[in-house]
DNA sequence: CTGCATCCGGAACGATACTG
DNA sequence: CAGTATCGTTCCGGATGCAG
């Protein structure tokens, strides 16, 4: 009882908890876009951002235990590990799209919040 | 250039940034449900959760500067301050509903992740 | 190639007391 | 009533090095 009991079983808070993490949405977005991706492939997708291997591994683990992504390891040399979305993950994609649309709508009104370099 | 430049202007990451915060979604949810709410009213809505005045104030401030809620202060004694969603905030509600629906769907499959007390 | 172990700084969050 | 101020804690995330 007591602590945070009111949030127990709340679907919204559950969803919030699952996508908690700086790179979660981006990972989901990439997997949704490309289907199956290897670890390094995913890492490269983030290009020059500051995502470290540690965080990528950690977030992928969490997403896996949350039934959001599937991890498939092949016993090869060198090792190969592929990630893809589960059914639950795929069903989440429409939300991502709506968030994107809302973001675009918001940017039209207020900009993206980053400094724009005026000429 | 360089750092996080790839995320610049990304609508999805913008959206993620705005709803960042442990209580943001819940605040938005309450305001969406009840329309206009006073500070204390909002505080009480969280009942016995651990939300402190500090965090509520802080999150409301951020939501306000993000054009997500409107703050209206009345020069009365005792003071009265009311919060409500902006147009942008209202347009975000469908996303909240989708997240709820997805959460319900997820709970049917996997439970809510909290301990259930077996009889 | 795909991770794991360790250390560390800073941001987010929380508890409490005080104010106009 | 609606905050502000201060302090303390937790925990997320970054850097680096190592391993199967």
């Amino acid at each position: 009882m007591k602590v945070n009991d009111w949030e127990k079983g709340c679907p919204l808070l559950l969803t919030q908890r699952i996508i908690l993490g700086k790179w979660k949405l981006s990972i989901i977005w990439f997997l949704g876009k490309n289907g199956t991706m290897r670890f390094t492939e995913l890492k490269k997708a983030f290009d020059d951002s500051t995502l470290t291997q540690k965080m990528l591994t950690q977030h992928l683990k969490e997403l896996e235990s949350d039934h959001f992504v599937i991890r498939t390891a092949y016993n090869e040399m060198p090792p190969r590990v592929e990630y893809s979305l589960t059914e639950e993950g795929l069903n989440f994609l429409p939300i991502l799209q709506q968030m994107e649309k809302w973001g675009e709508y918001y940017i039209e009104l207020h900009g993206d919040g980053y400094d724009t370099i005026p000429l």
Side-chain angles (χ1 to χ4, degrees), chain A residues 70-116:
Chain A
I70 300 173
R71 179 183 186 276
T72 313
Y74 299 88
N75 275 334
E76 300 176 354
M77 208 52 197
R80 183 161 63 101
V81 182
E82 292 184 342
Y83 295 91
S84 58
L85 294 179
T86 62
E87 201 63 27
E88 297 90 309
L90 289 171
N91 283 327
F92 191 83
L93 292 180
I95 300 180
L96 235 59
Q97 288 168 9
Q98 269 200 274
M99 289 177 70
E100 276 193 80
K101 282 197 69 171
W102 186 89
E104 289 168 7
Y105 151 77
Y106 183 93
I107 288 176
E108 275 186 27
L109 292 175
H110 307 290
D112 60 5
Y114 286 86
D115 292 338
T116 49

Side-chain angles (χ1 to χ4, degrees), chain A residues 6-63:
Chain A
W6 67 277
E7 76 180 23
K8 182 178 176 179
C10 172
L12 180 58
L13 293 175
L14 172 73
T15 305
Q16 182 180 222
R17 184 186 62 74
I18 290 182
I19 63 172
L20 180 70
K22 189 171 180 180
W23 314 95
K24 288 271 181 71
L25 288 185
S26 303
I27 291 172
I28 296 166
W29 188 86
F30 279 125
L31 289 179
K33 184 186 171 192
N34 297 333
T36 298
M37 294 179 79
R38 302 184 51 169
F39 184 86
T40 309
E41 207 175 344
L42 213 33
K43 179 80 177 67
K44 279 180 188 160
F46 284 88
D47 203 28
D48 51 351
S49 81
T50 61
L51 172 63
T52 57
Q53 288 180 340
K54 172 192 171 182
M55 293 315 299
L56 181 54
T57 303
Q58 180 180 313
H59 281 167
L60 282 171
K61 261 190 185 171
E62 291 171 10
L63 286 172

